[in-house]
Amino acid sequence: MDIHIKSGKLEVLEGRCLLILATKDGKLLNGFDAAAEQLKPFAESGEFGKAAGGNIYLTQPQGIKAQRLLFFNVGEKVNKPEDLRKASASAWKILRGKGFKEVLFSLDGLEDDAVRAVLEGFILADYQYTDLKSEKDKLPGRLESLTLHDNRGCGEKVARWQAICSGTMRARDLSQMPANLLHPERMAELASEWAEPCGYKATILDEAAIKKEGMGSFYSVGYGSDRESRFIIMEYEPEQPSGKTVVLVGKAVTFDSGGLSLKPSGGMAEMKGDMGGGAAVIGTMSVLRDAGCKHRVIGLVPAAENMPSSKATRPSDVVTSLSGLTIEINNTDAEGRLILADALTYAARYKPDFVVDYATLTGACLVALGPGVCGVMGNHQGLVDTILKASKTVNEPFWQLPLVDEYNEFLKSPVADISNISSSKWGGTITAGLFLQRFAAEYKWAHCDIAAAILEKGNAYSTTGGNGTGVRMSVEMLEDL
Ligand code: BES
Ligand code: ZN
Ligand code: ZN
């Protein structure tokens, strides 16, 4: 999508359709004064609707050069940026239905956070995963051009926010891709392809190198699959460094069948999205330069496919992790923590100030928080608070769970240093977090359980299934660290 910024008088700007947001009583949020007069009779008669979503479409608007005018009802008032994200997303879908490929929108009257929200609504609502559809002309039309009327010089910020959205869409593409096309090798190839144009360096370790490094825990997960595992290392160096190093770690199980602890078939298909943590990290790395991130950031993505076969890890097998800790694998479906354990140990090599991991780790997190909220826990409250604040700003909801020390008891193994599953059936998200904590003792660390990210039903601007959760939050978090 091309974004054009135009200053001057809105009334004289050419365009196919001008979009104006207004409250249900006809008070304009943006636009030009005379437009209020044109909306007034419709607001008074009730035709504009009593709630958010109502709209009035004028084919012969007065006093403007734009050929059409759409008034979109934001409801009683705008309480939060999310209302605007949904408004611009829904308004674009109305215009798309009328065959438009371009929109004219004025930023006059909107604060920065409102401008950002409106922009995110347009861009993210326009997202579609279409690579595998043959009849592309039958798909909903695309927003090819967005003209923003701006007299405050928002251009640079708009470019930054647009770049951040492109990271979310890269993460969505990865999550939407089926697992026969997106296996660990392909994910590594894509991360390498995006390195140069996006301003980071990529290094890939193949399966032999993973084994040689001593990542026995990670190695064990992909062992049953004909697809080789890959360890994706991405490094971003800022031009004017803050002196801080942050490592982002993302779980990328390109398909989680459960392994020999096979999952029931209902719901297994969703496990193509079990690389959502890795997608969030790759998506984030891909926008750091354009977002102007000041920290040195390393992205580590262990990628494996978890499959049953005669070579696969058996429940009761013991492996030695990179940290030296031995792990009894009592359930091969608790594989995410196994690949993360070694990546977290590896992360210490960079002497990080902060480490954050992202993983579609536990079904229990969905039981605890439902399909719209992710879990966060960690060994440093300041870092967790930064994540919670960032999550609020971009409305990717996160909620903190406690790392209950006493539950460490549940991870004891009779034969090894630790078991990969808890002996209690309760608190599975917390015990998974406690497992990871053993490998993250050397630095300030937070763990994001984003299981919700692959199950969300979608909304006005979000896709069903892998929706790129974590990218906007992470860029915002990095800004605050
Ligand atoms: N990838 C799953 C977790 C998951 C489930 C994510 C549903 C999104 C939606 C993970 O690898 C898993 O299978 N976890 C097990 C852990 C259990 C065996 C201790 C789970 O949650 O049941
Ligand atoms: Zn699993
Ligand atoms: Zn998994």
Side-chain angles (χ1 to χ4, degrees):
M1 173 200 309
D2 294 325
I3 297 187
H4 310 276
I5 308 262
K6 299 246 168 86
S7 57
K9 264 181 99 82
L10 176 60
E11 288 88 327
V12 300
L13 288 185
E14 310 260 357
R16 288 280 289 123
C17 187
L18 173 67
L19 167 66
I20 292 181
L21 304 178
T23 65
K24 72 177 179 47
D25 305 318
K27 196 169 156 292
L28 306 191
L29 268 63
N30 64 335
F32 62 110
D33 290 344
E37 284 308 306
Q38 294 179 63
L39 177 60
K40 204 170 161 206
F42 299 104
E44 281 172 359
S45 70
E47 283 168 271
F48 191 38
K50 293 269 169 266
N55 60 85
I56 293 293
Y57 180 61
L58 300 183
T59 52
Q60 290 180 313
Q62 303 301 304
I64 51 171
K65 270 228 164 132
Q67 295 164 11
R68 305 282 185 264
L69 175 52
L70 179 76
F71 291 106
F72 186 88
N73 186 339
V74 297
E76 180 135 5
K77 64 177 196 297
V78 172
N79 293 310
K80 45 190 181 333
E82 180 68 359
D83 299 340
L84 292 172
R85 237 173 250 122
K86 293 208 165 124
S88 58
S90 306
W92 157 238
K93 286 182 180 169
I94 293 171
L95 293 174
R96 173 170 87 181
K98 296 183 190 297
F100 288 102
K101 293 183 179 345
E102 52 172 89
V103 176
L104 171 60
F105 186 84
S106 175
L107 305 184
D108 280 2
L110 301 178
E111 305 278 339
D112 275 7
D113 59 347
V115 172
R116 178 175 182 177
V118 166
L119 191 71
E120 287 175 337
F122 281 127
I123 298 176
L124 297 176
D126 186 44
Y127 174 81
Q128 298 172 45
Y129 179 66
T130 59
D131 289 1
L132 306 175
K133 295 276 192 190
S134 336
E135 296 183 296
K136 300 229 191 315
D137 52 333
K138 298 222 169 105
L139 296 169
R142 305 305 296 263
L143 180 52
E144 285 168 9
S145 158
L146 177 63
T147 302
L148 298 176
H149 167 248
D150 165 37
N151 285 318
R152 284 186 295 139
C154 290
E156 241 173 64
K157 286 182 203 149
V158 164
R160 181 172 183 273
W161 296 326
Q162 185 185 14
I164 296 172
C165 286
S166 72
T168 297
M169 293 192 285
R170 255 183 223 111
R172 285 181 180 181
D173 273 345
L174 291 170
S175 299
Q176 297 285 331
M177 275 170 86
N180 60 330
L181 302 182
L182 190 81
H183 38 73
E185 258 174 282
R186 182 72 191 132
M187 204 161 170
E189 269 169 26
L190 287 171
S192 304
E193 266 170 37
W194 293 335
E196 235 236 29
C198 296
Y200 62 86
K201 196 182 116 205
T203 312
I204 310 297
L205 303 190
D206 65 11
E207 199 161 283
I210 292 164
K211 189 178 177 195
K212 194 153 166 257
E213 278 286 344
M215 296 195 250
S217 180
F218 172 19
Y219 181 65
S220 75
V221 172
Y223 202 55
S225 167
D226 281 345
R227 293 284 178 196
E228 276 206 17
S229 300
R230 290 287 181 269
F231 192 49
I232 306 169
I233 304 168
M234 292 158 286
E235 295 171 65
Y236 162 75
E237 299 283 348
E239 268 181 25
Q240 294 162 330
S242 66
K244 285 195 187 128
T245 298
V246 184
V247 180
L248 309 177
V249 179
K251 166 182 172 181
V253 174
T254 56
F255 191 75
D256 181 13
S257 69
L260 286 177
S261 311
L262 196 65
K263 283 183 182 298
S265 50
M268 198 196 272
E270 279 153 5
M271 289 302 129
K272 75 164 183 177
D274 206 21
M275 27 53 66
V281 170
I282 295 174
T284 303
M285 295 303 299
S286 76
V287 302
L288 293 179
R289 182 200 54 207
D290 290 351
C293 177
K294 298 268 190 296
H295 308 308
R296 173 181 179 235
V297 184
I298 318 293
L300 299 178
V301 176
E305 187 181 50
N306 187 20
M307 296 295 256
S309 80
S310 70
K311 277 189 358 188
T313 301
R314 291 155 286 256
S316 81
D317 281 0
V318 175
V319 294
T320 303
S321 66
L322 182 61
S323 72
L325 276 186
T326 56
I327 304 170
E328 184 179 17
I329 301 176
N330 284 307
N331 188 321
T332 63
D333 196 14
E335 83 300 337
R337 62 197 78 183
L338 295 173
I339 68 175
L340 290 174
D342 283 342
L344 287 170
T345 303
Y346 197 93
R349 298 186 184 181
Y350 298 94
K351 309 225 169 327
D353 295 282
F354 300 102
V355 177
V356 180
D357 76 68
Y358 307 79
T360 49
L361 204 62
T362 64
C365 198
L366 291 160
V367 176
L369 300 173
V373 182
C374 298
V376 57
M377 55 216 89
N379 63 12
H380 186 263
Q381 193 55 41
L383 177 57
V384 172
D385 286 341
T386 306
I387 289 173
L388 291 171
K389 179 166 167 261
S391 119
K392 265 209 164 141
T393 307
V394 300
N395 199 42
E396 290 183 346
F398 279 76
W399 194 258
Q400 185 175 8
L401 297 171
L403 284 167
V404 183
D405 202 21
E406 287 75 10
Y407 297 178
N408 273 305
E409 197 63 29
F410 304 149
L411 291 172
K412 284 198 169 143
S413 154
V415 295
D417 297 331
I418 190 170
S419 166
N420 82 323
I421 51 163
S422 167
S423 57
S424 164
K425 64 175 179 177
W426 307 114
T429 304
I430 294 172
T431 48
L434 287 170
F435 180 93
L436 297 180
Q437 190 175 29
R438 299 282 183 98
F439 301 88
E442 282 179 40
Y443 41 68
K444 295 168 187 150
W445 158 81
H447 157 58
C448 301
D449 192 328
I450 60 167
I454 56 174
L455 286 189
E456 208 191 342
K457 269 270 270 92
N459 61 31
Y461 64 88
S462 181
T463 43
T464 300
N467 59 12
T469 289
V471 175
R472 287 184 303 125
M473 185 283 277
S474 300
V475 178
E476 196 65 28
M477 168 195 80
L478 285 164
E479 182 88 342
D480 265 7
L481 276 179

